[in-house]
Amino acid sequence: MLDIAEELSRWFGEGRDFAVATVVAVGGSAPRGPGAALAVDGDGTVIGSVSGGCVEGAVYDLCVRALRDGRPVLERFGYDDEDAFAVGLTCGGVIDILVTPVRTDAPVFRAGVSAAGRGEAAALARVARGPVELLGRALLVRPDGSYEGSLDGPPELDRTAAAEARAMLDIGRTGTVEIAEDGSHCPGGMTLFVESRVPPPRMIVFGAVDFATALVRAGKFLGYHVTVCDARPVFATRLRFPDADDLVVDWPHRYLRRTATDARTVLCVLTHDAKFDVPLLEAALRLPVAFVGAMGSRRTHEDRNRRLLEVGLTNQELARLHSPIGLDLGARTPEETALSIAAEIVAARRGGTGVPLTGSGTPIHHDADGGEAGDTRSRAAA
């Protein structure tokens, strides 16, 4: 539902009731992951997508029915071996879809959509499996653990659901978690689907070079909040980087030490100059970020590694460095180089191999932990 928050915010503002279908679980090869959503209003207007087209018609009908009778429904769609042309996913996967009717005066859904539309961190927890009278009931959970709404069970159920949702929000994860109907943390009886919405991840590009201009555009396309940092004010200008969210004139290592990073942050070092690279990478490779990559020739890479070992980095820390940065695409232009860097970032974050899918036999869809898409149960408590 939060996947289409901006559009739904407009519908709330216009007083339009709607039904929203959300992918709550996937198995095998599925075109879209948990959290993908499609909504239908009372006039039949559609926004969003749950399958890229495979089952959209059937899901549309479910939404129309939910709007009419006011009852949520959980439906499974998958490939039918007996009739390949039946409604299902011809890619061979299985998706579970929760359809929820929403009135525009529903405070929890309105607040969740509004928070997501403003870019605030929040998690929406809904009952995806359990007692039929609780299906679709929701809680909105904030980063501080406060929540609004109720699952309409015993008080302990709301507290447990809020705690589980907050744990998933802390790591920016969307998926399912099992709890008991009485509110105990032991799995059994109830499945919650938790949609986490957190601010966009950061990409920090160090070095205001020509390759950086193209990489900024690629980073924005991938949904990052992109910062360009360079110690030379003549290069770090808005004229050269109109698409960057932030421009910083500072020594790279000094800026990295004072700025906020997290486990989703991507650091791209394009300066290939030892006086910038070595102190910067010494700091970067000790941070719990998602990706650290550095540009340079093979000779530059070897010299840089030697210098980093001399300043005290361990081989284990150095092994985190993606250098020379990018996949081997035969890139020549800044745009092609940016594409190769962006492709390596996606592969590293999603567990891809970077090899062509043709004839490889590797999974097409990977989950957030690098495995093949399938079980989406939370491991937030681990």
Side-chain angles (χ1 to χ4, degrees), residues 9-345:
S9 290
R10 187 176 66 254
W11 283 10
F12 271 114
E14 295 170 353
R16 297 157 71 176
D17 294 344
F18 59 88
V20 60
T22 307
V23 177
V24 297
V26 302
S29 180
R32 303 205 64 198
L38 176 151
V40 181
D41 72 358
D43 294 328
T45 303
V46 181
I47 56 174
S49 172
V50 292
S51 71
C54 300
V55 299
E56 309 290 74
V59 172
Y60 175 89
D61 291 339
L62 287 173
C63 287
V64 171
R65 189 186 313 160
L67 264 175
R68 184 177 62 245
D69 61 27
R71 291 196 297 270
V73 62
L74 180 69
E75 190 78 18
R76 171 165 290 185
F77 293 95
Y79 184 78
D80 185 344
D81 290 326
E82 296 181 359
D83 184 0
F85 297 100
V87 172
L89 296 173
T90 54
C91 57
V94 175
I95 59 175
D96 290 341
I97 293 179
L98 176 64
V99 180
T100 308
V102 179
R103 295 182 57 84
T104 54
D105 59 358
V108 174
F109 291 116
R110 178 185 282 270
V113 164
S114 179
R118 293 192 301 267
E120 298 175 1
L124 188 65
R126 283 183 282 169
V127 178
R129 289 189 183 87
V132 64
E133 66 274 11
L134 301 186
L135 190 65
R137 299 297 172 89
L139 288 177
L140 178 65
V141 182
R142 308 285 184 178
D144 63 0
S146 62
Y147 62 91
E148 54 187 288
S150 176
L151 302 184
D152 290 340
E156 187 62 27
L157 179 60
D158 286 348
R159 289 193 288 268
T160 298
E164 294 286 354
R166 183 188 182 187
M168 295 184 72
L169 178 61
D170 284 344
I171 59 174
R173 187 180 179 89
T174 289
T176 56
V177 60
E178 306 289 334
I179 62 176
E181 293 180 35
D182 62 4
S184 64
H185 288 271
C186 300
M190 183 173 291
T191 300
L192 296 180
F193 176 67
V194 180
E195 292 180 81
S196 294
R197 176 57 63 95
V198 292
R202 296 191 68 190
M203 173 186 284
I204 309 178
V205 180
F206 296 98
V209 298
D210 52 353
F211 292 102
T213 306
L215 182 57
V216 167
R217 293 196 297 270
K220 293 295 294 179
F221 178 76
L222 291 177
Y224 286 94
H225 181 99
V226 183
T227 299
V228 176
C229 175
D230 197 297
R232 303 163 297 180
V234 67
F235 294 113
T237 66
R238 183 56 64 185
L239 182 63
R240 286 167 53 81
F241 296 95
D243 299 311
D245 294 293
D246 302 303
L247 284 173
V248 176
V249 178
D250 199 352
W251 278 77
H253 70 283
R254 187 163 60 192
Y255 173 68
L256 181 60
R257 285 173 179 158
R258 66 178 171 84
T259 194
T261 60
D262 60 24
R264 302 180 301 148
T265 301
V266 167
L267 306 178
C268 299
V269 181
L270 308 187
T271 48
H272 51 84
D273 183 330
K275 68 176 179 291
F276 295 120
D277 290 2
V278 173
L280 171 59
L281 290 171
E282 181 185 1
L285 292 171
R286 287 170 172 157
L287 291 174
V289 295
F291 180 93
V292 181
M295 178 175 280
S297 66
R298 298 288 183 187
R299 180 177 298 177
T300 298
H301 167 71
E302 292 173 2
D303 177 68
R304 187 165 49 209
N305 280 1
R306 177 182 59 79
R307 292 171 183 265
L308 289 169
L309 289 171
E310 288 175 354
V311 298
L313 281 185
T314 66
N315 285 317
Q316 184 177 8
E317 290 168 334
L318 196 57
R320 296 182 57 216
L321 178 60
H322 296 259
S323 174
I325 194 171
L327 297 184
D328 180 9
L329 304 183
R332 291 290 183 270
T333 68
E335 290 74 20
E336 291 173 345
T337 301
L339 177 62
S340 77
I341 295 172
E344 185 181 23
I345 290 169

